[in-house]
Amino acid sequence: MLHENLRINFGGPLEKISTTPQKNIINFGGVIYLTENINEINVQMDPSGSERRLDFPTNLQSDISTDSIISVSDLLTDDMELLGERALLGLGLVTGELKKSNGTVIVGGKRFGMGSSREQAVWSLIKSGISGVVAESFGPIFQRNASHLGLLTSTNMELATEIQKGRPVKLESFLEEKDNLERWIVIAGGLLPYLKGIDDGKYPKPEISPHSKEERPMNIYEKRLAKACALKSVASNETSLLPIDLAYSYVGLSGIVRASLKEFYGENLQNLELARNKIHLYEDHFALSNNSVIPGLTENQRKFALEELKIPHENYHYGTKKNGGGTGICHRDMLQRIDPRTTQVAIATDSHTPSLGALPILAIPVGSTMLAAALAKGKVPYSTGETTRISFKGKLPPGTSIRDAQLELASRTKYYQGTSVVEFGGTGFNSLNRDEVVALCNMVPEVLNGEIAVTEAYSDGVTDLMDRFGMSEEEALNLYGVPDENCSYKQIFEVDLSETSPWIATPGSPRNGVPLSTIREKIHLDQANFVSCTLGYYDVVELAAVLSDKKIQIPLYITISSKEIRDKADSSGLLNILRAAGAIISDESACSSCIGEGPGSLEAGKKAISASNRNFKGRMGDPSSAVYLGSARLVADSAIRGYIATFEEYRSDNDRVEDNLKRLPHQ
């Protein structure tokens, strides 16, 4: 018996898919509808193929995140079959339930697979017997990972009805909405078989069309891509083999990289196309976790990196504890390591890789299999995305932060339709400091459904490059670049920062944002969290400005995102202010409770407010817990009160906080 929120219809067995799309006919098995109504029952299709009781559910569940498909604690294994036993536990299933259902196609609502780039979300479905997913829309990284691993996806909801009736479906039906590159990858059965097919002459090598030899107006993303590919120009929807300058991963996701390399490229991993000094591996995510499997996975990664890949020791970022730790969360640490004069394209196995968009580079989040391909080949198949331009004007009013603006953007459907690249610029953009720009780029997957963030030059970014690398201002400005007149965007939006007001996201999704002024009831909290790669030094300053000479009423868990920021905050006296207020400060820089693995992870039924980037069900602990998202200032204010500060209470403290900000060290 399936869990209550699933409904299943059984058809015939899944037939093997051939490699000729015109002849591919697929007979799927059971159809599983993921619905909101827990009273839905299981329905079996009549073997004769009649349409008795085959009504299509109208209450499909939306925003099924990768945390619900496979939680962080459940993905921590190198046993792929075990992943199949753990699929969809975040929705309330018990271990092995999906696999025992004999279903082969899942049907969901909007934004299926939003969130992390963890490839285990796809593997768990495959290993539980799922061959396809039909949904109204997908998280873009999940959908790409699915194609790379051979899991079919489609947004054509009519397919679900056809499959439900036991009718055969052509493979072409799952190719219609995909670009040419992804079609070939699906036909090949996955990314690595496709690359092998290119080597064997079975599939065409992706190449940008001849017009790339001609100059044309380009936006910033297209300029950086053209530079990386040594071309005069590129346009949207082109395909190529994109050279990779730097790649990184970490404990928990690097195991699949290792397994993929060994399966397709043999046991000897030292003859890689990507130079070993361009590969970085971290022990950052689980440094504060008590999960008993972490030490073993950490040892496996050390063997992979230092014995099998033989990367330089300075490229392996050790932790100081058995579970890892070290220099900080990988994206924050990489911000300080990358020299944009020599690194044009960086990839990493994490959806928050766009944080690096604050630098004048292309930073692309990928699945573990894509990273394996990059290590083996030095290049990856790539399709040029379309670009959304967000042009800011004005300046954030006192008492607001970039997170308030982000949560408002996230609540507006128009801002996250149809593009994979987001370009930030405008006169108001230059008013933001570097930490605000990093946060803006970091949350592109949550706010704008994008995968890549690129930015125009901004004062703090230019100054940072000049200070760190001795560049001239002209050199730094040229690295960032400007969009050409008459360049192409799929959509352009203007956002007035001066109209920003305090916002908060209610539990379930960063897109559940509402103005703080609309929260009228008193929402009592069990704790507050300041833990995320989206948080920089300036956020610590804001936290200290609110907590100065105050005492918190509920536990406030703080984990600084990098050792560099932590040391700076400590030497400037900020951490002493936080300690005096009663905050619990971790001695390591790690993801911690942001992924439900460390101090501050939520227990069953608990409520919290967090200055992190995601509040999907189960993301920060028990699935029955509830997490509100807000700015660092709102988190601190709420920790003092023991409940979410009302708009009036928050505003009443504004003068005091602004005065404190003036006297605290911002640099």
Side-chain angles (χ1 to χ4, degrees):
M1 179 70 178
L2 281 171
H3 190 266
E4 291 171 310
N5 68 341
L6 303 181
R7 192 173 81 174
I8 183 167
N9 299 283
F10 293 101
L14 178 68
E15 293 183 351
K16 185 177 180 181
I17 300 174
S18 68
T19 56
T20 307
Q22 292 80 3
K23 298 179 180 179
N24 284 338
I25 301 295
I26 311 167
N27 289 300
F28 287 97
V31 177
I32 300 173
Y33 292 101
L34 302 180
T35 64
E36 296 285 359
N37 187 349
I38 63 171
N39 295 317
E40 287 282 3
I41 60 173
N42 301 334
V43 179
Q44 284 197 12
M45 184 179 68
D46 190 310
S48 68
S50 74
E51 299 182 16
R52 178 172 57 86
R53 298 181 66 193
L54 297 182
D55 56 306
F56 191 90
T58 58
N59 56 345
L60 291 170
Q61 192 170 158
S62 293
D63 292 311
I64 295 175
S65 71
T66 49
D67 287 286
S68 292
I69 299 171
I70 187 81
S71 71
V72 172
S73 59
D74 286 336
L75 66 79
L76 294 173
T77 178
D78 288 335
D79 184 339
M80 304 300 284
E81 298 304 320
L82 188 56
L83 288 177
E85 297 290 321
R86 296 172 173 176
L88 298 186
L89 299 192
L91 295 183
L93 274 69
V94 299
T95 301
E97 194 168 5
L98 181 63
K99 192 171 185 178
K100 293 174 184 175
S101 74
N102 295 319
T104 63
V105 175
I106 282 176
V107 181
K110 297 176 181 177
R111 298 178 294 276
F112 185 94
M114 286 301 299
S116 169
S117 63
R118 66 187 68 157
E119 216 170 71
Q120 287 94 333
V122 177
W123 276 117
S124 69
L125 297 179
I126 291 173
K127 292 298 182 179
S128 66
I130 300 300
S131 304
V133 181
V134 179
E136 294 176 56
S137 61
F138 288 91
I141 304 174
F142 173 89
Q143 190 169 31
R144 188 176 64 230
N145 284 344
S147 295
H148 289 176
L149 298 178
L151 179 68
L152 300 175
T153 62
S154 177
T155 59
N156 181 357
M157 302 305 286
E158 293 180 3
L159 287 179
T161 302
E162 294 299 299
I163 295 168
Q164 175 180 305
K165 294 175 182 177
R167 296 173 182 171
V169 176
K170 293 182 179 180
L171 177 62
E172 294 171 62
S173 300
F174 289 91
L175 303 178
E176 292 172 352
E177 63 204 32
K178 296 175 171 60
D179 61 40
N180 289 333
L181 176 59
E182 194 170 358
R183 288 176 186 175
W184 279 112
I185 291 173
V186 171
I187 290 167
L191 175 64
L192 296 183
Y194 169 67
L195 290 174
K196 187 176 187 303
I198 290 176
D199 291 341
D200 296 340
K202 190 175 182 181
Y203 304 121
K205 182 179 178 181
E207 292 182 326
I208 290 179
S209 61
H211 78 70
S212 61
K213 297 177 182 179
E214 304 170 0
E215 293 187 1
R216 55 179 292 276
M218 292 185 290
N219 58 46
I220 295 175
Y221 161 71
E222 291 167 342
K223 285 186 173 185
R224 292 182 188 170
L225 190 58
K227 181 180 178 182
C229 295
L231 298 169
K232 287 186 176 180
S233 68
V234 298
S236 298
N237 302 315
E238 296 278 9
T239 61
S240 68
L241 288 174
L242 178 63
I244 303 300
D245 298 312
L246 184 144
Y248 63 96
S249 187
Y250 51 80
V251 171
L253 298 187
S254 63
I256 295 178
V257 178
R258 180 191 193 194
S260 297
L261 282 171
K262 290 198 170 191
E263 179 180 357
F264 278 84
Y265 301 107
E267 291 294 320
N268 185 354
L269 302 182
Q270 295 179 40
N271 297 320
L272 301 175
E273 290 294 330
L274 191 67
R276 289 192 291 276
N277 63 3
K278 296 181 178 180
I279 305 166
H280 291 253
L281 287 166
Y282 282 81
E283 297 181 359
D284 60 335
H285 271 52
F286 303 101
L288 298 170
S289 171
N290 291 321
N291 195 313
S292 61
V293 305
I294 298 299
L297 294 176
T298 301
E299 282 303 314
N300 288 346
Q301 180 175 276
R302 290 179 181 179
K303 179 180 179 182
F304 174 44
L306 302 172
E307 296 180 23
E308 296 172 343
L309 295 179
K310 294 189 181 299
I311 69 172
H313 277 261
E314 60 268 25
N315 286 19
Y316 191 86
H317 306 284
Y318 282 95
T320 57
K321 296 184 176 182
K322 65 178 181 180
N323 283 3
T327 50
I329 302 173
C330 49
H331 320 300
R332 277 285 165 183
D333 188 63
M334 273 294 166
L335 277 167
Q336 299 306 117
R337 292 181 182 274
I338 288 177
D339 184 342
R341 295 171 298 183
T342 56
T343 296
Q344 297 176 55
V345 181
I347 64 171
T349 57
D350 194 285
S351 57
H352 290 124
T353 306
S355 301
L356 301 178
L359 297 170
I361 67 169
L362 292 180
I364 306 172
V366 299
S368 299
T369 298
M370 179 71 96
L371 193 131
L375 301 191
K377 297 292 187 179
K379 300 179 179 181
V380 296
Y382 185 77
S383 294
T384 309
E386 294 184 295
T387 306
T388 291
R389 165 84 178 186
I390 302 289
S391 186
F392 293 106
K393 67 178 183 179
K395 188 176 181 180
L396 288 168
T400 62
S401 83
I402 196 62
R403 278 173 195 76
D404 296 312
Q406 286 175 307
L407 292 177
E408 182 174 1
L409 284 171
S411 72
R412 313 292 191 199
T413 305
K414 68 178 182 179
Y415 290 117
Y416 49 87
Q417 296 294 320
T419 65
S420 59
V421 183
V422 182
E423 177 182 294
F424 294 113
T427 56
F429 182 70
N430 198 49
S431 70
L432 301 176
N433 63 47
R434 184 169 181 261
D435 285 331
E436 290 171 323
V437 172
V438 173
L440 194 63
C441 295
N442 176 285
M443 291 185 67
V444 157
E446 283 75 39
V447 174
L448 297 155
N449 209 36
E451 301 175 56
I452 297 174
V454 296
T455 62
E456 288 185 356
Y458 58 103
S459 180
D460 254 17
V462 169
T463 300
D464 173 67
L465 295 184
M466 293 170 65
D467 291 345
R468 285 199 291 138
F469 301 111
M471 296 184 193
S472 66
E473 182 178 20
E474 182 181 9
E475 185 179 6
L477 288 170
N478 287 338
L479 279 173
Y480 276 102
V482 295
D484 292 329
E485 290 186 15
N486 302 318
C487 67
S488 176
Y489 296 103
K490 183 168 185 179
Q491 49 197 0
I492 301 174
F493 299 107
E494 186 174 73
V495 176
D496 190 346
L497 291 173
S498 67
E499 295 179 357
T500 303
S501 65
W503 273 61
I504 188 168
T506 58
S509 172
R511 292 182 174 162
N512 293 343
V514 294
L516 183 61
S517 59
T518 65
I519 304 292
R520 309 312 304 175
E521 74 275 20
K522 187 173 287 188
I523 302 174
H524 289 277
L525 301 167
D526 297 294
Q527 65 187 65
N529 289 27
F530 182 89
V531 183
S532 175
C533 60
T534 192
L535 298 167
Y537 178 78
Y538 185 70
D539 298 284
V540 183
V541 175
E542 288 196 306
L543 198 66
V546 179
L547 293 178
S548 182
D549 298 322
K550 296 289 184 179
K551 292 290 184 181
I552 58 175
Q553 300 301 311
I554 54 174
L556 170 59
Y557 295 92
I558 297 174
T559 303
I560 310 296
S561 60
S562 77
K563 185 177 184 300
E564 180 190 52
I565 294 173
R566 193 183 192 284
D567 290 346
K568 185 177 178 181
D570 202 7
S571 63
S572 63
L574 296 180
L575 296 191
N576 286 336
I577 295 174
L578 306 183
R579 293 188 186 100
I584 304 164
I585 305 175
S586 300
D587 59 359
E588 284 282 353
S589 293
C591 293
S592 191
S593 60
C594 182
I595 54 172
E597 290 287 330
S601 297
L602 288 164
E603 299 175 356
K606 299 296 185 181
K607 288 183 180 179
I609 186 169
S610 176
S612 52
N613 38 36
R614 288 179 178 154
N615 62 338
F616 297 124
K617 180 180 178 182
R619 166 73 180 186
M620 296 182 66
D622 191 276
S624 68
S625 61
V627 180
Y628 295 80
L629 295 183
S631 67
R633 291 174 71 151
L634 183 58
V635 166
D637 200 346
S638 300
I640 293 170
R641 300 175 190 281
Y643 57 87
I644 295 177
T646 66
F647 178 77
E648 291 76 18
E649 289 170 332
Y650 183 79
R651 283 298 199 198
S652 69
D653 205 25
N654 198 44
D655 289 344
R656 179 186 71 87
V657 176
E658 288 297 313
D659 287 341
N660 286 339
L661 278 174
K662 292 174 184 176
R663 65 179 179 81
L664 292 175
H666 287 200
Q667 300 296 328

